[in-house]
Amino acid sequence: MVQPASKFALLNRSPYAVRLRRGVAGLRFPAELEDAYQQARLQHVRERARIWQVVVFLLTLAGVFSRMQETGNALTVLETVARFGVLLPCSMVLVWAAWSGRYEHVYPHALRWALPAYYAAVTLLAAGFAAHGHVEALVVPAIHIIAGHFLAGLTFRQAAVASLLVVAVHFGAASAFGMPPANAVHQATVLIVVAFIAGIFRYRAEKASRLDFLEQSLTVELADRDPLTGLQSRRRLDEHLQRLWQAATRNRDWIALIVLDIDGFARLNDASGRDAGDDALRRIAQVVQEAVGHSGGMAARYGDDEVALVLHQRSPDYACLLGERLRRTIEHLSADPACPCTVSVGVTAVKPSLGRTLQGTLKAAESALAQARADGGNRVRYLQGEAEETYGPFAGDGLHCPA
């Protein structure tokens, strides 16, 4: 027998609470939670990243003019390629990405590709100067190592990889430029020490940032819980779907939506009183919440007698099978006098793209639910391909849920 769950008991199964109990030492969350954290982190570092990238661009430009004056416009081929072919273009890309209106989408890609190229080029030039006696040039890659950890907006792992790239390029280039091996090792060691110290502080900062994200998210989630069922509120569901839609659009992932409606809920209230209806709703909500614990996703109260379950990176087949499992579990509960009800279930799944909308997905799930009700209730229906014309081209043609 399923016992009603309190709001706080359900909250203990929140993904934020689960991660808090497990700790954040690995600096990595499950995919859906990680994406939400990264979006929040990018917003937090936006201003400092913008300022830093502008500063880097201005310094890069100043460096080009300074070297042209020193050499009488007679830069070596290597320096010309490094400065005009890599440093300036990469710096311009990073500035554009940091100030772009689509910052959350383009800046991470710029960090992934443009920043390593910039680091490699600037380290190559610094190694060349150091090999010819200008040891002070070592300061430049050291500054970029520190900036990568704290100013550019990199994660701990990204900053660590960038630091290793700087050390490797500097050691290899210094050796190629004829620097004595002992000096090359010494300078590489200095950069390793700088990277190690910066990495310690960056690791601690990111660990604290992730804990803060989990605690704040858990607090918000507590405030947004439906007081009767302990599930997420409709507002929280809408916000979650918006974030999930953006992430799934970028990654071409599946989003599945399952909506359950209690059959004969009004009759139950009329026959046994409002308390009986509330008790049945709480029990069904607990069944759905337990399914979330096993399959991932989010469960929310969708209407007076409706509950919705959102799944990420789950196929239509999986969503239909889960919908049927929920229906059967709740049907089994109907033998209990405290929960004499069954549910109709509507299921839809989609891979978001520019031609599809979140509103269309919601309407598709509601249409599937309406069909389940029209067919007599206590069954699962999946949106078929003929609904494409109304709601957009949804995947899953020919997939039939069990009746």
Side-chain angles (χ1 to χ4, degrees):
M1 178 183 298
V2 179
Q3 297 299 323
S6 71
K7 177 177 179 179
F8 293 99
L10 288 172
L11 188 59
N12 284 334
R13 291 192 290 271
S14 159
Y16 306 113
V18 170
R19 294 310 305 181
L20 278 170
R21 287 195 296 271
R22 293 179 180 177
V24 296
L27 300 185
R28 189 73 186 176
F29 296 144
E32 186 177 326
L33 204 59
E34 182 68 21
D35 187 77
Y37 168 73
Q38 292 299 339
Q39 292 298 312
R41 185 189 66 82
L42 283 170
Q43 289 299 324
H44 179 71
V45 303
R46 173 185 278 197
E47 292 306 316
R48 98 177 59 140
R50 284 178 167 180
I51 294 171
W52 173 246
Q53 297 302 348
V54 170
V55 169
V56 170
F57 173 72
L58 293 176
L59 290 175
T60 302
L61 202 59
V64 169
F65 286 121
S66 175
R67 284 295 296 162
M68 291 178 68
Q69 288 180 347
E70 290 177 9
T71 61
N73 296 334
L75 298 177
T76 64
V77 174
L78 176 63
E79 193 168 355
T80 300
V81 171
R83 292 187 184 277
F84 288 97
V86 181
L87 294 181
L88 277 176
C90 287
S91 184
M92 291 171 66
V93 167
L94 288 164
V95 170
W96 167 78
W99 289 85
S100 169
R102 301 183 69 246
Y103 161 82
E104 297 89 349
H105 303 288
V106 299
Y107 191 63
H109 292 290
L111 289 178
R112 192 173 296 118
W113 301 109
L115 193 67
Y118 186 96
Y119 276 16
V122 79
T123 304
L124 183 67
L125 293 178
F129 285 117
H132 291 86
H134 299 282
V135 183
E136 67 278 4
L138 191 65
V139 172
V140 177
I143 289 175
H144 281 288
I145 286 175
I146 297 171
H149 282 82
F150 301 105
L151 299 177
L154 297 174
T155 64
F156 167 78
R157 282 189 173 85
Q158 291 171 332
V161 171
S163 299
L164 290 174
L165 174 67
V166 168
V167 173
V169 170
H170 186 84
F171 181 78
S175 300
F177 287 134
M179 180 182 292
N183 291 352
V185 170
H186 174 73
Q187 293 186 12
T189 302
V190 171
L191 293 176
I192 290 173
V193 170
V194 171
F196 180 74
I197 295 174
I200 290 175
F201 285 99
R202 185 70 192 92
Y203 175 84
R204 291 177 176 175
E206 184 166 331
K207 184 177 179 182
S209 169
R210 286 175 178 271
L211 286 171
D212 185 61
F213 166 77
L214 292 175
E215 290 168 354
Q216 289 188 17
S217 299
L218 190 60
T219 301
V220 171
E221 187 178 53
L222 176 60
D224 281 345
R225 288 277 177 168
D226 173 62
L228 174 63
T229 63
L231 299 178
Q232 302 287 351
S233 67
R234 176 62 188 268
R235 182 179 71 84
R236 181 77 172 175
L237 174 70
D238 291 339
E239 292 174 352
H240 177 73
L241 278 171
Q242 287 288 352
R243 291 194 301 269
L244 207 59
W245 189 268
Q246 294 175 1
T249 301
R250 290 195 304 271
N251 303 325
R252 297 291 294 148
D253 292 331
W254 283 104
I255 291 179
L257 182 62
I258 304 173
V259 182
L260 301 88
D261 178 59
I262 299 178
D263 299 324
F265 186 70
R267 291 195 303 272
L268 176 63
N269 279 334
D270 292 341
S272 304
R274 185 74 180 180
D275 289 344
D278 290 347
D279 187 54
L281 190 57
R282 278 193 296 267
R283 288 168 177 264
I284 289 170
Q286 184 176 355
V287 172
V288 175
Q289 186 64 48
E290 287 174 350
V292 170
H294 295 295
S295 62
M298 172 186 281
R301 189 171 181 182
Y302 196 69
D304 286 342
D305 59 341
E306 294 176 342
V307 173
L309 175 58
V310 180
L311 303 173
H312 184 214
Q313 296 178 328
R314 297 293 189 177
S315 69
D317 299 270
Y318 181 92
C320 274
L321 290 173
L322 178 58
E324 175 62 12
R325 189 164 73 243
L326 289 170
R327 185 199 66 78
R328 289 180 179 177
T329 302
I330 294 168
E331 183 182 35
H332 177 71
L333 286 177
S334 66
D336 183 351
C339 187
C341 56
T342 57
V343 292
S344 298
V345 184
V347 181
T348 193
V350 63
K351 282 188 176 181
S353 67
L354 294 179
R356 296 164 180 167
T357 65
L358 176 56
Q359 189 61 33
T361 305
L362 293 171
K363 288 181 179 179
E366 291 167 1
S367 178
L369 177 62
Q371 186 61 52
R373 290 197 203 101
D375 289 343
N378 192 25
R379 63 198 65 220
V380 179
R381 287 291 179 263
Y382 179 82
L383 182 70
Q384 299 298 303
E386 57 265 21
E388 287 184 2
E389 189 172 316
T390 303
Y391 300 123
F394 290 90
D397 294 5
L399 175 64
H400 295 269
C401 285

